[in-house]
Amino acid sequence: MLADTALAVMWVGLTCYALFGGADFGAGVWDLLAGGTARGREQRLLIEHSIGPIWEANHVWLIFVVVLLWSCFSPVFAAVMSTLYLPLTFAALGIIARGAAFAFRKASTELWQQRLFGACFAVSSLVTPFFLGTVAGAVASGRVPPGLAEGNVITSWLNPTSVLGGVLAVLTCAHLAAVYLCADADRAGEDELARTFVRRALVSGLASGAVALAGTAVLHADAPELFHGLTHRALPLVVISAVAGVTGLWLLVKGHYVAARAAAALAVAAILWAWGAAQYPAMLVGGLTVDQAASSPAVLSACLIALACGAVLLIPGLWLLYGTFQRAATPEPPGVKASDS
């Protein structure tokens, strides 16, 4: 019971990282595809305004998941970190380079410097979710055996399921960001910009659905246990994800941007929990179950108590942070442009 509770809490943190951090990475992808300096200026300004106040806070969720995995399921932590250290290192470097480039671009005054740091920020936003997706694919396909560095350090994450996971991660992040940016642009009164991101959300959403549908053949051939779980125990969650995704696209077309946000978030959360349900009770497919990998009851109890205490302090702060920057902007005085403020 304690182990299942700790796993559920960890999965909640992973879901939050997928929704908040994913949209954060996706915004960087759209920054990369915004166009030249002049043509992409409005899009990049909106992206900077949307992620600027919270881009560091999003990685709290990743730290939360890693620490909880280490504390409550240390054999899984050891196996994942020792076998998948290459993609995890690439992802960590991407996160660091992305954050530094984003900060330096804001502080740079020369155009060539802004372009250099902007390119670094955008490319890092593309490669980081890809490598995180390959890690998920490696675990889901059973290529991470128990023990220290027991899995192949190359083929464990360079395989069909991992590549599928990486591509889906990039497309999902891009879709989430585009949906979120639609509402931000609409709230700022930028109707044309909102329509631009609607088109991008539709394209990325349809691409995500097409890749996920085609990916079933990949899973059937390369990860049969995961495929069986997704088409049996986790099938209701898969259906919820598909329905929410289609509903979100319809809401975007109708201009209901806030509702589309909720639908897109539900689609991503449902498929993430479908993965967990399909694999349960295995944490390492073919290796360790939840009960086998769990720490002692005393450790689990201490972690859960500490999490409950920390949540009392953390959740109100995050709620205030996200809520503050989702309120409508205060109208500018007559004669003052928003770009001059």
Side-chain angles (χ1 to χ4, degrees):
M1 182 63 181
L2 286 175
D4 287 338
T5 302
L7 179 62
V9 172
M10 188 178 74
W11 219 255
V12 169
L14 188 61
T15 303
C16 290
Y17 187 62
L19 296 180
F20 296 113
D24 193 8
F25 288 127
V29 173
W30 294 126
D31 188 288
L32 178 66
L33 301 176
T37 303
R39 186 164 64 90
R41 182 175 182 274
E42 288 189 355
Q43 295 179 42
R44 292 190 174 98
L45 286 176
L46 177 65
I47 290 169
E48 288 184 359
H49 175 75
S50 297
I51 73 175
I54 61 172
W55 64 278
E56 284 194 35
N58 291 325
H59 296 300
V60 168
W61 300 111
L62 180 60
I63 297 169
F64 170 81
V65 171
V66 171
V67 171
L68 198 58
L69 181 64
W70 172 47
S71 303
C72 298
F73 306 98
S74 54
V76 178
F77 176 88
V80 170
M81 293 298 170
S82 60
T83 295
L84 301 175
Y85 65 87
L86 284 178
L88 288 169
T89 298
F90 295 149
L93 291 175
I95 291 173
I96 295 169
R98 180 179 184 273
F102 182 75
F104 287 145
R105 183 172 69 172
K106 293 288 291 182
S108 299
T109 56
E110 298 291 334
L111 180 59
W112 71 269
Q113 293 176 334
Q114 293 175 351
R115 286 177 172 173
L116 174 63
F117 292 128
C120 182
F121 163 71
V123 171
S124 297
S125 298
L126 179 67
V127 301
T128 302
F130 176 81
F131 284 119
L132 291 175
T134 63
V135 170
V139 175
S141 60
R143 287 183 167 89
V144 183
L148 290 175
E150 291 295 328
N152 189 291
V153 296
I154 301 298
T155 60
S156 60
W157 60 278
L158 278 181
N159 58 75
T161 302
S162 288
V163 172
L164 173 65
V167 173
L168 274 177
V170 172
L171 290 174
T172 300
C173 290
H175 178 63
L176 278 175
V179 174
Y180 290 1
L181 288 167
C182 288
D184 286 349
D186 180 66
R187 187 171 56 252
E190 300 285 351
D191 295 335
E192 182 58 36
L193 203 53
R195 286 191 289 270
T196 297
F197 281 109
V198 166
R199 292 191 292 269
R200 295 189 170 193
L202 292 175
V203 170
S204 57
L206 291 173
S208 299
V211 170
L213 187 61
T216 56
V218 174
L219 296 181
H220 183 270
D222 191 58
E225 290 189 39
L226 177 63
F227 177 82
H228 182 271
L230 290 173
T231 53
H232 289 80
R233 180 193 301 138
L235 185 58
L237 288 169
V238 174
V239 173
I240 290 173
S241 178
V243 171
V246 173
T247 302
L249 298 181
W250 179 80
L251 290 169
L252 285 172
V253 172
K254 292 298 183 179
H256 303 302
Y257 301 137
V258 175
R261 278 184 169 186
L266 176 60
V268 174
I271 201 63
L272 191 62
W273 282 80
W275 167 30
Q279 186 172 313
Y280 184 84
M283 292 198 72
L284 296 178
V285 177
L288 292 174
T289 65
V290 175
D291 289 335
Q292 291 170 341
S295 299
S296 66
V299 173
L300 294 175
S301 299
C303 287
L304 291 173
I305 292 172
L307 288 174
C309 296
V312 174
L313 300 175
L314 180 63
I315 292 177
L318 287 175
W319 183 273
L320 179 62
L321 176 64
Y322 290 128
T324 297
F325 293 96
Q326 289 300 304
R327 296 170 186 162
T330 303
E332 297 288 346
V336 177
K337 297 181 179 180
S339 59
D340 297 332
S341 58

